[in-house]
Amino acid sequence: MLALMVVRYAKSYVDQLYDAKDMSALEGVIDVVSRDRQLPEQFWLSKRLFAWCGWSRSGIWQYYEAISRDDFEAVASALERFGFPELAARYRSGMESWKQPDGCNELDRWIDTHQAELESTAFQLIANDRQYFYDEG
């Protein structure tokens, strides 16, 4: 019988990622830890927000083309629930315009201009919850 191995992260490593606010690495940690145990919704939203702002580098319209309607609505609703109504409206605007020629150009520019703020928001969603990554074993 094949034993499943649970990946565990050292507290010092998690703390290092948090201290550096390294969202790229934290996104990977969220992926790995969430395979083994349920994380609170803010981790899911943080990962989705970070991914969304990363798509603009190649054209945000591709994000909207690839996302399912259900996933899109889940992200938009979560942004509102977590207190980001203006960001939710901006997020929704892409779905309304991505099929139009050059329909997402303004959103791409906005994301590029607000990249640091968006990444900071993604981090702030999980900033006080690093304990969820600590080894439970």
Side-chain angles (χ1 to χ4, degrees), residues 45 49 52 60 63-64 69 72-98 103-104 106-108 110-111 118 121:
L45 182 57
L49 178 58
W52 177 69
I60 196 68
Y63 171 89
Y64 292 101
R69 190 68 170 167
F72 165 77
E73 286 298 335
V75 172
S77 296
L79 286 169
E80 291 169 352
R81 241 186 352 276
F82 278 89
F84 303 104
E86 299 86 9
L87 186 53
R90 194 63 81 158
Y91 179 81
R92 288 182 185 280
S93 75
M95 185 58 89
E96 297 163 5
S97 63
W98 76 269
C104 283
E106 190 276 327
L107 183 56
D108 277 324
W110 184 86
I111 291 172
L118 290 167
T121 299

Side-chain angles (χ1 to χ4, degrees), residues 17-81:
L17 296 181
Y18 265 80
D19 292 345
K21 298 180 182 179
D22 186 342
M23 277 307 298
S24 293
L26 285 167
E27 182 182 28
V29 172
I30 291 169
D31 277 343
V32 171
V33 171
S34 65
R35 287 183 212 143
D36 181 50
R37 63 183 181 266
Q38 183 74 33
L39 292 171
E41 185 181 21
Q42 64 265 26
F43 287 91
W44 172 86
L45 182 57
S46 174
K47 185 173 166 14
R48 296 311 176 280
L49 178 58
F50 186 72
W52 177 69
C53 67
W55 272 85
S56 74
R57 293 183 183 113
S58 57
I60 196 68
W61 67 270
Q62 294 175 68
Y63 171 89
Y64 292 101
E65 180 180 51
I67 193 169
S68 73
R69 190 68 170 167
D70 287 345
D71 288 345
F72 165 77
E73 286 298 335
V75 172
S77 296
L79 286 169
E80 291 169 352
R81 241 186 352 276

